[in-house]
Amino acid sequence: MKNKFKIISLFLLLPLLSNAQKKYVVETKTVNVQIPKTLWGLFFEDINRGADGGIYGELIKNRSFDFPKPMTGWDTWPNGKIREGIFLINNNLLETNNPKYLNVDITMKDTVGLINFGYEEGISYKKGLPYKFTIRYRQNSANLHLRILLINRDNKPIMSKGIILPSKADEWTTFETNITPIDSSTAGKFLILFEGEGKISIDRISLFPSDVYKNRDNGLRNDLVQKIAELKPGFLRFPGGCIVEGNQLVNRYQWKTTIGPLEKRKLVQSIWADDVKNRLTPDYMESMGLGFYEYFQLCEDLKTEPMPILNAGMSCQFDEKEIVPIEQITPFVDDALDLIEFANGSVTSKWGKTRSELGHPAPFNLTYLGVGNENWGPQYAERLEIFTKAIKNKYPYIKIVNATGYSRNIPVFSYMDSVLRARKADIIDEHFYDTPEWFMKNANRYDTYDKKGPKIFVGEYAAQTTKIGSPDNKNTLKAALSEACFMTGLERNADVVSMASYAPLFGHITGWQWTPNLIWFDNSKSYNTPNYYVQQMFSTNSGTHLAKITSNNSSITGIDSLWASAVVDKSNKTLIIKVVNMNSSETDFNISSDIRLGENIKIYSLSGEANKENSFDDSKNIKPIFSESKANLTKLKPYSLTVLKFEII
Ligand code: AHR
């Protein structure tokens, strides 16, 4: 009876929008679901040189000589003419986090040097921009002088600076100075010369541009932070991804060795060094220069919820599958408890004090914590239970993100899903890397989920145009639109889906192991993919409350090759409709609504050729175009995502 009334009242409202072809019905009064502020977030992992060689501002690769092959990234100067014994790597086995350093020993007056090639294509220099050079050294005489040179792509110096280190230094000492190139260059190098006679030990040679985000020491690349900021993420998942697990436990991510002075941070080999056989990157190490303090600080800057994911006592289950015996799991659980204390504890607590000493007395307000990345099976379930009890016991307010392996409706997933539902878990993390067709077909996946059960975090997803993990996958418009189709389904089910993030976020144009990615970059610039714009169109139009958009009472998940969802933004009285047109031709779209709408429509449309991508040469090939209309009938462009914004009057 109630339903009948609803239909009649909508019918009566139709004349308000004088158009004969009203086909799609929007109801705003019948749903009372708030859109979670966390719905559209980001997944950050140091994959594809996302951190070292990417957003982390350091320009020198292997600055501390701690790579497994300590001269990786370096060459001596002049090439081939160095006398035996001048450069010697020392390995201090008593120092576990930062064991190696370089001794330079010049017994007869000479000039020798070290050249660093930076990451991938080489160092980018900007004319007139100061670069901060830092050296950590120890010396027992002050007879050696230094000279640093910025070298351009033609092997010509674009600035040189002589340095007289202040004095003899028995203890490790840090010296800093700025150097400003007189010209710009990509594919540059950095040269440090040692002039005279004497001995010096070096533990870090570092170079940062001064235009890093917020001009911070040890800062992040500004253009890449801006790209993230412009997505207005509701949360930031970190540090992964598979690097959480590591290919072996020894290479897992351990947050405690990523904070504090750089020389205390422990470099580990990335799982991405050799995990992708056709994209080997043997020099892929994680310096941890972008560690957990920098991460929390970034979340605060971006006003986004932090979501750390921690190791569950298991290495990557696609890889070596090592597990920590259950009786030895306590240090792993303690890591989780200590991280919460580091983020939220009072300055009198052990880890709260550490945070305060690092410069942040105020808490970082952590409420989400993941245990395990893509873990599954009874061993994971057993370990997860121990973590959960300990975390909930001490911090009942923390919402735990629980893994389900690599998702879909396969036994691995179903097992974890049923375990987690029986345990009334807070949040279940599902991952999808699949074909564009799969994403289109599965826009209704969450329609049947138990809305009173655990919340869903679609923690990783991306349409794969060729095959999962294939180096031929492309960021085409069609792939992006298929994700948009799926996302209308996430939005329609915002009462159970509370978070979602595309993955991976970054891909270095030559240094990648995985494709597709949301943002492609090289050492000086970056561009947005169509997938980026899809994410942005959803996240910047998230609304405050769900509305309902239907055709003949069915949700629009492929009807007429259209996919749609609707929200209301009560804060600025707007009805927002997102509609994906997968037709190869223009398609009419018109709505009737149970509320009175203004006649002006703001329209943002992302469209183009289905198989086209953006690129450095054509970075704006596919991007949203804004227009305004008074017409009742919207023409949806072929292959498009359109956001329609109506004023509610
Ligand atoms: O996003 C790339 C990888 O895909 C992640 O590291 C992992 O969690 C998933 O398998």
Side-chain angles (χ1 to χ4, degrees):
M1 188 60 195
K2 221 174 167 189
N3 277 346
K4 205 168 174 190
F5 173 76
K6 208 188 297 167
I7 293 163
I8 292 168
S9 67
L10 283 166
F11 180 75
L12 290 173
L13 286 167
L14 292 183
L16 287 177
L17 289 164
S18 64
N19 188 308
Q21 302 182 45
K22 291 186 181 76
K23 206 173 170 189
Y24 304 104
V25 175
V26 178
E27 293 170 55
T28 60
K29 296 179 182 163
T30 54
V31 260
N32 189 21
V33 171
Q34 277 195 14
I35 302 291
K37 290 204 171 87
T38 51
L39 185 55
W40 309 116
L42 294 178
F43 162 98
F44 181 93
E45 178 176 15
D46 191 0
I47 179 175
N48 305 318
R49 300 248 187 247
D52 286 310
I55 200 169
Y56 181 49
E58 177 63 83
L59 299 173
I60 304 293
K61 184 163 77 183
N62 190 17
R63 62 186 172 190
S64 301
F65 308 98
D66 277 305
F67 278 32
K69 290 188 178 168
M71 290 306 284
T72 305
W74 295 96
D75 210 346
T76 51
W77 184 96
N79 221 348
K81 290 189 193 145
I82 306 287
R83 272 178 295 114
E84 194 61 34
I86 288 191
F87 291 117
L88 275 185
I89 292 290
N90 284 232
N91 194 337
N92 176 359
L93 298 177
L94 301 177
E95 180 64 67
T96 47
N97 281 10
N98 177 31
K100 294 179 202 161
Y101 58 92
L102 181 79
N103 266 359
V104 184
D105 185 351
I106 308 183
T107 45
M108 276 157 49
K109 211 161 181 256
D110 206 346
T111 298
V112 293
L114 289 171
I115 197 152
N116 191 281
F117 301 91
Y119 290 92
E120 296 302 319
E121 75 270 21
I123 302 175
S124 272
Y125 292 116
K126 284 184 205 156
K127 179 180 171 177
L129 180 75
Y131 286 75
K132 191 172 93 182
F133 164 78
T134 311
I135 185 164
R136 188 164 183 265
Y137 72 99
R138 206 167 59 178
Q139 64 175 359
N140 56 18
S141 66
N143 300 335
L144 269 186
H145 295 163
L146 309 184
R147 174 161 296 278
I148 53 175
L149 297 97
L150 311 183
I151 309 289
N152 72 8
R153 63 180 310 135
D154 303 320
N155 281 322
K156 302 267 177 334
I158 46 177
M159 185 43 79
S160 130
K161 185 170 188 174
I163 295 171
I164 299 179
L165 290 174
S167 63
K168 160 172 167 6
D170 294 330
E171 297 301 322
W172 287 108
T173 304
T174 301
F175 172 84
E176 280 176 21
T177 188
N178 279 339
I179 176 165
T180 307
I182 52 161
D183 207 353
S184 296
S185 181
T186 54
K189 304 178 186 72
F190 177 79
L191 174 63
I192 178 165
L193 297 178
F194 305 89
E195 300 169 336
E197 211 175 288
K199 286 185 188 174
I200 187 166
S201 304
I202 297 153
D203 189 34
R204 181 164 71 247
I205 296 175
S206 162
L207 192 70
F208 273 78
S210 60
D211 62 351
V212 287
Y213 182 60
K214 289 193 179 267
N215 300 320
R216 289 205 176 106
D217 273 351
N218 195 41
L220 304 179
R221 205 174 121 178
N222 205 14
D223 62 325
L224 297 182
V225 176
Q226 290 310 329
K227 286 238 183 294
I228 297 183
E230 284 162 20
L231 285 167
K232 302 234 177 309
F235 64 89
L236 187 58
R237 175 187 179 132
F238 178 91
C242 292
I243 73 164
V244 169
E245 298 141 336
N247 54 357
Q248 313 160 50
L249 276 168
V250 69
N251 289 331
R252 73 191 186 277
Y253 197 99
Q254 300 182 63
W255 76 267
K256 284 176 184 161
T257 57
T258 74
I259 58 167
L262 295 176
E263 55 276 12
K264 296 280 177 222
R265 304 188 188 189
K266 187 175 180 185
L267 175 135
V268 295
Q269 178 171 326
S270 170
I271 190 170
W272 300 109
D274 61 3
D275 215 55
V276 181
K277 299 298 168 231
N278 50 12
R279 297 289 305 176
L280 294 177
T281 318
D283 63 350
Y284 206 155
M285 303 293 138
E286 295 160 37
S287 74
M288 308 302 181
L290 192 189
F292 254 82
Y293 182 75
E294 291 78 14
Y295 160 62
F296 280 131
Q297 215 172 24
L298 180 63
C299 292
E300 184 174 78
D301 293 338
L302 301 179
K303 299 188 177 42
T304 189
E305 292 281 349
M307 188 208 277
I309 307 286
L310 297 185
N311 187 292
M314 308 174 82
S315 77
C316 178
Q317 288 173 261
F318 293 110
D319 222 300
E320 300 303 327
K321 306 178 179 52
E322 292 176 1
I323 54 170
V324 174
I326 221 69
E327 58 280 8
Q328 290 172 20
I329 199 75
T330 306
F332 287 72
V333 178
D334 287 347
D335 270 1
L337 298 175
D338 293 344
L339 181 67
I340 302 169
E341 186 174 291
F342 177 67
N344 296 350
S346 83
V347 295
T348 54
S349 65
K350 178 177 171 204
W351 289 102
K353 183 163 175 260
T354 306
R355 181 193 70 240
S356 177
E357 285 166 357
L358 292 176
H360 204 285
F364 282 118
N365 302 319
L366 177 71
T367 52
Y368 297 95
L369 183 68
V371 177
N373 172 47
E374 274 183 352
N375 294 119
W376 64 82
Q379 290 85 3
Y380 171 57
E382 192 184 6
R383 281 156 186 74
L384 181 60
E385 194 174 19
I386 299 171
F387 275 85
T388 306
K389 278 191 184 138
I391 295 169
K392 289 288 181 186
N393 187 28
K394 199 161 178 195
Y395 301 105
Y397 65 89
I398 289 286
K399 296 192 181 78
I400 300 179
V401 175
N402 304 271
T404 51
Y406 45 99
S407 279
R408 291 194 49 175
N409 300 327
I410 50 174
V412 162
F413 170 78
S414 314
Y415 169 78
M416 274 320 297
D417 188 67
S418 57
V419 167
L420 294 172
R421 284 178 189 280
R423 285 183 192 169
K424 300 195 185 327
D426 293 328
I427 302 172
I428 296 181
D429 181 8
E430 302 190 357
H431 295 183
F432 305 105
Y433 296 100
D434 221 306
T435 59
E437 290 68 32
W438 185 92
F439 281 97
M440 288 153 69
K441 269 197 211 118
N442 282 274
N444 55 6
R445 176 178 174 92
Y446 297 106
D447 294 3
T448 50
Y449 266 51
D450 177 4
K451 305 287 157 99
K452 296 205 169 71
K455 295 291 181 201
I456 300 300
F457 169 33
V458 184
E460 297 184 29
Y461 66 99
Q464 314 281 296
T465 52
T466 305
K467 199 170 160 233
I468 302 172
S470 163
D472 299 326
N473 289 327
K474 303 277 183 241
N475 285 100
T476 63
L477 174 66
K478 183 177 169 199
L481 293 179
S482 74
E483 290 152 9
C485 295
F486 186 66
M487 289 165 77
T488 61
L490 305 185
E491 189 170 85
R492 275 190 305 99
N493 290 286
D495 45 355
V496 65
V497 179
S498 61
M499 306 173 133
S501 44
Y502 182 98
L505 180 59
F506 286 122
H508 188 290
I509 203 77
T510 58
W512 57 273
Q513 297 78 40
W514 181 285
T515 181
N517 301 294
L518 207 58
I519 300 165
W520 286 97
F521 66 94
D522 65 13
N523 290 352
S524 59
K525 47 193 192 313
S526 54
Y527 70 85
N528 300 335
T529 57
N531 317 66
Y532 176 99
Y533 290 120
V534 164
Q535 293 293 321
Q536 194 178 43
M537 287 167 79
F538 275 77
S539 64
T540 56
N541 293 296
S542 56
T544 56
H545 291 77
L546 195 61
K548 195 169 166 187
I549 181 161
T550 53
S551 170
N552 293 327
N553 262 327
S554 297
S555 53
I556 304 166
T557 54
I559 297 175
D560 304 328
S561 292
L562 300 181
W563 282 253
S565 57
V567 292
V568 164
D569 193 326
K570 289 196 177 168
S571 58
N572 55 24
K573 292 194 167 172
T574 316
L575 169 70
I576 306 170
I577 296 174
K578 300 169 186 106
V579 53
V580 188
N581 178 18
M582 279 297 197
N583 291 293
S584 55
S585 54
E586 199 167 62
T587 303
D588 291 347
F589 187 74
N590 197 12
I591 61 153
S592 64
S593 164
D594 61 355
I595 38 170
R596 188 179 280 273
L597 301 173
E599 60 173 9
N600 288 336
I601 315 175
K602 290 193 162 86
I603 303 171
Y604 300 81
S605 178
L606 181 76
S607 66
E609 283 177 47
N611 291 320
K612 275 268 163 119
E613 306 169 69
N614 287 341
S615 65
F616 276 124
D617 297 335
D618 204 356
S619 65
K620 298 269 168 72
N621 178 26
I622 300 163
K623 63 165 191 188
I625 305 288
F626 175 69
S627 61
E628 277 183 291
S629 168
K630 286 191 195 306
N632 285 336
L633 187 72
T634 305
K635 298 268 183 206
L636 301 175
K637 296 210 165 76
Y639 294 119
S640 61
L641 165 63
T642 306
V643 175
L644 301 160
K645 294 175 92 165
F646 303 82
E647 189 192 354
I648 299 172
I649 51 176

